Amino acid sequence: MNPALPVTAARAALARCHACHLLSRMKPLAPGSHAHCPRCGAALHLRKPDSLARAWALTLAAYILYIPANTLPIMTVVSMGHGEPDTILSGVRVLIAGGLWPLALLVFFASVVVPVLKLLALTCLLISVQRKSRWRPRDRTVLYRITEVVGRWSMIDVFMISILVALVKLGAIATIEPGAGALAFAAVVVVTMFAAMSFDPRLIWDALENPDER
Amino acid sequence: MSDNDIRHPGPAGNDYLPDAVVVEKRRGFSIVWLIPLVAALIGAWLAYKTLSEQGPIITLTFREGTGLEAGKTKIKYKALDVGVVKTVRFSPDLSQVIVTAEMNKEVARHLGENSRFWVVRPRVGLSGVSGLETVVSGTYIEVEFDDGNPARAFTGLEQPPAIRADTPGHRYLLLTDQLGSIQRGSPIYFRDIQVGEVLTTQLAEDNRNVLVHVFVNAPYDRLVRDQSRFWKTSGFEVSLGAQGIDVRMESLLSVLLGGIAFDAPEHDEAGSASRDGAQFRLYDSFSDIAESSYTRRDSYMMNFEGSVRGLSVGAPVEVRGLKIGKVTEVKLDIDLKTGNIRVPVAVELELERILPPDLMKQFDETYGTLRAEGRRPGMEHMVKRGLRAQLRTGSLLTGQLFVELDFYPDSPPLELVYGGPYPEIPTVPGALEAFQKTALDILDKLRKLPLEQIANELLGTMQGANRLVNAPEWRAAIRSLDATLKDVRTLAQTADRQVAALASDVGKTLGTVRNTLESVDPEAPLMVDLGNMLEELAAAARSIRTLSDHLDRHPESLLYGKGGPGAKK
Ligand SMILES: [Zn+2]
Ligand SMILES: [Zn+2]
């Protein structure tokens, strides 16, 4: 044991149960075997299981879903018998054309900028961890925290649509119908949230513990 | 880093901690990779759906783009959306508006080359209001499909088609010289029932005819036969006949829009209906049909002395009031050598009006060869017998002239002259000149009338009458009569009391009456004057009666005088 290195639970071969918070000693596990909490029986992990694979899969899914989310109409506003399906970007354009700059900016940030930045941040974290990069771990941890916190605000569009659909039911005069894009968009937000959740930020620091490998 | 790679055994001193339970479990493929797979499948499905729902893109050309909006304007068929306008832009030379539109996939195979597109806007026409719903819903493009050769570029109609392609019925083409009041939407009548309408009107390529495309709705289209005749109805007809004025008015629509009527010939009742697109002649009026059925025409020339003012092309040529032809040309002909001015008038005589069919056949047999040489033997013969042409006034109000052919056996003998473009019929001075002469005669006669003498005599008569009324004898007589009446009354009052004295009183009274009557002497100047006056009045009344009788029989003598040509007839 290298005393120069910080002591982590993993290095001490200790694992805390997620369910009952019991601390137990871990032994080296044979491939295909699982550790369980001796008290409550929940699975024990030193690190989130399959963190990289899950995060990668979910990020990839988010990328794929991001395409229909932006190209398909997210809602159709039907007023006075005629209406047009709007995608996110066309909705922003309509808002700008209507002079509603603050609202347009809000929608643009929440629906376009934030999901994209989040996906890019996740990708960046995943690649750096995969490559066991030792580059600015602290900053990358901050990036991860921001990603996790900011992610749920992307749901603002989905909330808005669901509220509008519920409120604006004026029969022949005006109705709002959600489009397939809204579903894809919601899926993007949920999937990126799960991707951020399944990413284990401790992996960022793990790379620093064995400098010999690099 | 994973769970099974702990390289550093736990430090001493944590032995009080329990060991984790290790379970053997086979782990396969991580389920998490199903998520991107599902996402990819969903994405692929959405992409396929979007692409497969993508209908054909078509190009429409319009003259103007009123109300057309990219991404908004719908294309409708039977009031349902079948497409949407994608872009609206100008043609390179700015002369037209080019619209690209995406059609629904389900109608793609109906986009034949004869599909018609037009912009529906509110329209107010004489035959109704249409497109009012677009005030609320916005302008849209209406389409009418055609399952012909597939096409993707179309020229939009400026006007909605009057008849939908799926309306049962037939189209026909009518040819006419003048369009008149006929226009798009003009009704077609059969026995005053509207059975169709005019689709379009256009000038024929030879610029001589006007083509009128009409549509006759089923089931009336079977009434249109090859022998059917179409004519224009003005909707309002006034005819002046022997029975008086006859005003005939059809529907207000045909007054405003004009109209076309047709008939189904009786003898062809069993005949088959005309095919679609059949051509017909459109006559100007019903009477025009009979006129244009005369096919055999002979042309002649006439040279009239004097003015032909009032003689127009189309003026009738008549024999004793019956039309047998018409004037076809009136022109000025100056002989540059002699400086003579002539006005040759060309006329066309319609043989069918003159000869019944059986006589016509005989006529052809007799004169066929001579006629073939350009001779007109029948006319030659009649000119020898004194047939002459004369200009007559048809209407005093408008001064319209017509040509009258009549026999003047006393006129100097002349012959039909060949040599010009047509044989020339000799003429006699026109009725106009004769009329002017007669008018002068009438004025002359009026001038010669002893107006002064008549006035004096009338004055004398009036004075006599005046004298009679104011004569003193007349007053005396009235006074005596008055006294007598008083006596009579007295007599009547005393009659019952003095019956005995009655006789002598009666005798006295009678004597007084006699005296009174005697005082009015038949030889007195008053009575002579009265007699004269009565005689003169009787004579005046007689001559007035004679005059009015004569005018009754010969009203034209007012114009022509007693010896005028009118009196000769
Ligand atoms: Zn536990
Ligand atoms: Zn820490």
Side-chain angles (χ1 to χ4, degrees):
Chain A
M1 188 165 180
N2 191 349
L5 289 172
V7 177
T8 62
R11 285 186 49 160
L14 293 176
R16 192 190 63 168
C17 171
H18 297 297
C20 69
H21 291 200
L22 175 78
L23 202 62
S24 39
R25 283 182 297 181
M26 294 288 276
K27 287 179 199 144
L29 291 172
S33 56
H34 259 249
H36 281 263
C37 172
R39 187 165 66 173
C40 72
L44 287 180
H45 310 286
L46 288 173
R47 293 290 178 264
K48 287 183 186 169
D50 286 339
S51 171
L52 279 182
R54 286 182 193 184
W56 267 122
L58 291 167
T59 308
L60 208 62
Y63 272 120
I64 292 169
L65 288 169
Y66 192 70
I67 298 167
N70 273 289
T71 51
L72 293 181
I74 58 164
M75 64 172 171
T76 308
V77 180
V78 181
S79 73
M80 300 304 280
H82 57 100
E84 277 310 303
D86 275 314
T87 62
I88 293 172
L89 281 175
S90 76
V92 172
R93 269 203 297 274
V94 168
L95 288 175
I96 290 174
L100 300 167
W101 279 95
L103 202 58
L105 280 176
L106 180 71
V107 172
F108 184 71
F109 266 95
S111 309
V112 182
V113 177
V114 169
V116 169
L117 285 181
K118 212 167 108 176
L119 282 174
L120 289 177
L122 273 175
T123 315
C124 169
L125 288 172
L126 281 169
I127 288 173
S128 67
V129 167
Q130 192 117 42
R131 295 181 61 195
K132 303 197 189 313
S133 163
R134 300 157 63 93
W135 176 74
R136 307 180 87 166
R138 196 171 261 273
D139 291 346
R140 282 188 282 151
T141 314
V142 170
L143 182 67
Y144 172 75
R145 277 213 300 276
I146 292 174
T147 303
E148 206 182 18
V149 167
V150 122
R152 65 202 64 158
W153 291 102
S154 296
M155 286 301 265
I156 201 166
D157 267 29
V158 181
F159 292 151
M160 192 174 79
I161 294 164
S162 43
I163 289 168
L164 283 177
V165 169
L167 286 181
V168 187
K169 283 281 182 207
L170 297 177
I173 297 171
T175 50
I176 293 177
E177 287 160 17
L183 210 63
F185 186 78
V188 169
V189 175
V190 171
V191 166
T192 43
M193 276 164 77
F194 276 119
M197 265 167 62
S198 53
F199 178 76
D200 197 333
R202 287 171 292 190
L203 293 174
I204 298 171
W205 299 97
D206 283 345
L208 298 171
E209 290 182 16
N210 28 12
D212 339 324
E213 286 179 15
R214 295 218 60 192
Chain B
M1 174 169 271
S2 63
D3 294 345
N4 50 3
D5 114 78
I6 299 164
R7 276 153 289 177
H8 311 285
N14 56 5
D15 291 344
Y16 55 91
L17 293 173
D19 282 334
V21 180
V22 174
V23 183
E24 295 290 324
K25 188 182 167 194
R26 203 185 138 59
R27 297 190 64 218
F29 169 74
S30 175
I31 280 181
V32 78
W33 287 101
L34 281 178
I35 293 172
L37 196 68
V38 168
L41 283 177
I42 291 174
W45 176 69
L46 285 174
Y48 168 77
K49 192 164 163 271
T50 311
L51 284 176
S52 66
E53 274 178 1
Q54 181 113 30
I57 304 286
I58 58 165
T59 311
L60 306 175
T61 314
F62 287 104
R63 224 170 29 222
E64 52 183 274
T66 317
L68 297 180
E69 281 181 82
K72 288 245 165 29
T73 307
K74 295 281 193 302
I75 297 180
K76 294 190 180 192
Y77 177 66
K78 298 193 186 231
L80 294 181
D81 291 359
V82 292
V84 65
V85 169
K86 287 283 168 196
T87 63
V88 180
R89 62 189 157 83
F90 285 117
S91 62
D93 59 354
L94 300 182
S95 66
Q96 279 173 322
V97 174
I98 295 176
V99 174
T100 54
E102 185 188 327
M103 301 298 286
N104 288 2
K105 208 183 162 208
E106 57 199 325
V107 301
R109 63 194 179 85
H110 299 292
L111 283 167
E113 58 189 345
N114 291 326
S115 297
R116 299 189 286 179
F117 294 83
W118 64 95
V119 179
V120 179
R121 307 182 179 104
R123 279 174 214 277
V124 181
L126 285 169
S127 46
V129 179
S130 68
L132 212 58
E133 74 275 16
T134 59
V135 172
V136 176
S137 69
T139 304
Y140 62 90
I141 295 173
E142 179 98 30
V143 61
E144 195 177 277
F145 293 111
D146 160 67
D147 295 347
N149 295 333
R152 292 293 178 261
F154 306 92
T155 303
L157 308 178
E158 295 309 313
Q159 295 271 330
I163 301 293
R164 305 295 300 255
D166 52 1
T167 312
H170 277 84
R171 283 153 201 274
Y172 303 103
L173 181 60
L174 310 181
L175 276 84
T176 185
D177 303 329
Q178 297 280 330
L179 192 55
S181 60
I182 303 294
Q183 51 178 290
R184 201 183 128 79
S186 291
I188 312 280
Y189 293 107
F190 180 78
R191 297 179 195 238
D192 284 354
I193 297 173
Q194 187 176 348
V195 298
E197 65 180 280
V198 171
L199 299 178
T200 54
T201 56
Q202 69 182 97
L203 198 62
E205 279 178 21
D206 61 1
N207 294 337
R208 284 168 187 274
N209 283 308
V210 180
L211 305 180
V212 181
H213 296 267
V214 301
F215 187 85
V216 178
N217 295 85
Y220 304 102
D221 52 345
R222 65 185 163 79
L223 295 167
V224 181
R225 311 270 162 70
D226 288 343
Q227 277 77 28
S228 286
R229 296 165 303 181
F230 288 78
W231 67 91
K232 295 173 191 167
T233 60
S234 62
F236 187 77
E237 271 173 47
V238 180
S239 55
L240 201 76
Q243 293 84 23
I245 297 177
D246 178 25
V247 179
R248 195 162 149 268
M249 193 164 155
E250 281 155 29
S251 79
L252 197 61
L253 185 63
S254 65
V255 173
L256 294 170
L257 286 178
I260 294 174
F262 70 92
D263 63 356
E266 294 288 333
H267 60 269
D268 192 39
E269 214 63 80
S272 61
S274 286
R275 68 197 153 69
D276 201 52
Q279 278 193 18
F280 295 92
R281 183 94 215 149
L282 177 59
Y283 298 99
D284 281 341
S285 63
F286 185 70
S287 54
D288 209 33
I289 295 174
E291 197 133 308
S292 45
S293 67
Y294 300 126
T295 51
R296 299 198 48 185
R297 291 149 198 240
D298 278 354
S299 291
Y300 293 97
M301 296 290 295
M302 297 162 182
N303 273 300
F304 289 105
E305 307 272 324
S307 166
V308 294
R309 182 192 172 93
L311 183 70
S312 51
V313 170
V317 178
E318 294 185 357
V319 170
R320 312 227 163 145
L322 293 175
K323 187 181 174 184
I324 58 159
K326 64 184 179 198
V327 173
T328 54
E329 196 183 353
V330 180
K331 66 175 180 185
L332 195 64
D333 185 16
I334 301 176
D335 190 336
L336 286 176
K337 282 180 198 156
T338 60
N340 284 342
I341 294 177
R342 297 191 314 163
V343 183
V345 172
V347 301
E348 246 176 22
L349 304 187
E350 285 146 359
L351 294 187
E352 279 112 328
R353 285 183 189 267
I354 303 166
L355 297 170
D358 47 332
L359 270 180
M360 176 80 83
K361 208 173 160 197
Q362 204 182 330
F363 175 82
D364 281 346
E365 280 165 10
T366 319
Y367 298 122
T369 46
L370 279 172
R371 283 178 61 84
E373 293 166 15
R375 301 272 303 272
R376 298 283 181 268
M379 188 57 79
E380 274 177 34
H381 183 64
M382 285 195 283
V383 172
K384 264 187 202 144
R385 279 189 51 213
L387 184 83
R388 300 287 182 271
Q390 188 191 34
L391 284 181
R392 295 248 179 116
T393 309
S395 155
L396 275 176
L397 285 176
T398 59
Q400 288 295 303
L401 294 183
F402 66 95
V403 177
E404 171 91 11
L405 292 180
D406 205 348
F407 289 97
Y408 297 84
D410 305 336
S411 59
L414 288 170
E415 297 218 335
L416 192 64
V417 184
Y418 294 101
Y422 312 120
E424 186 182 331
I425 298 174
T427 60
V428 292
L432 192 66
E433 290 100 274
F435 167 70
Q436 282 167 346
K437 190 167 167 295
T438 315
L440 284 175
D441 286 353
I442 292 171
L443 285 177
D444 217 31
K445 276 180 201 159
L446 278 176
R447 205 177 299 128
K448 282 180 194 155
L449 275 178
L451 284 174
E452 211 164 317
Q453 194 189 335
I454 292 170
N456 283 341
E457 274 176 19
L458 264 176
L459 192 64
T461 310
M462 294 307 288
Q463 279 167 348
N466 198 25
R467 266 205 309 279
L468 172 70
V469 171
N470 294 317
E473 291 92 342
W474 193 238
R475 289 188 193 151
I478 289 169
R479 269 200 296 276
S480 303
L481 200 61
D482 194 30
T484 310
L485 284 172
K486 275 179 190 157
D487 287 349
V488 168
R489 201 185 301 127
T490 318
L491 173 68
Q493 278 165 350
T494 56
D496 55 336
R497 284 184 282 124
Q498 300 174 344
V499 179
L502 180 65
S504 64
D505 272 0
V506 168
K508 230 186 280 173
T509 309
L510 283 176
T512 317
V513 170
R514 195 182 310 121
N515 285 346
T516 309
L517 287 175
E518 271 166 9
S519 67
V520 183
D521 189 353
E523 296 303 316
L526 166 69
M527 295 311 281
V528 175
D529 277 352
L530 192 63
N532 284 346
M533 186 187 74
L534 285 174
E535 258 167 31
E536 269 176 343
L537 277 175
R542 239 192 333 273
S543 51
I544 285 168
R545 188 161 60 245
T546 313
L547 176 66
S548 72
D549 280 355
H550 179 75
L551 282 177
D552 218 17
R553 279 196 304 277
H554 304 285
E556 72 276 22
S557 63
L558 256 184
L559 299 173
Y560 295 117
K562 266 187 159 178
K568 195 163 53 180
K569 264 199 191 170

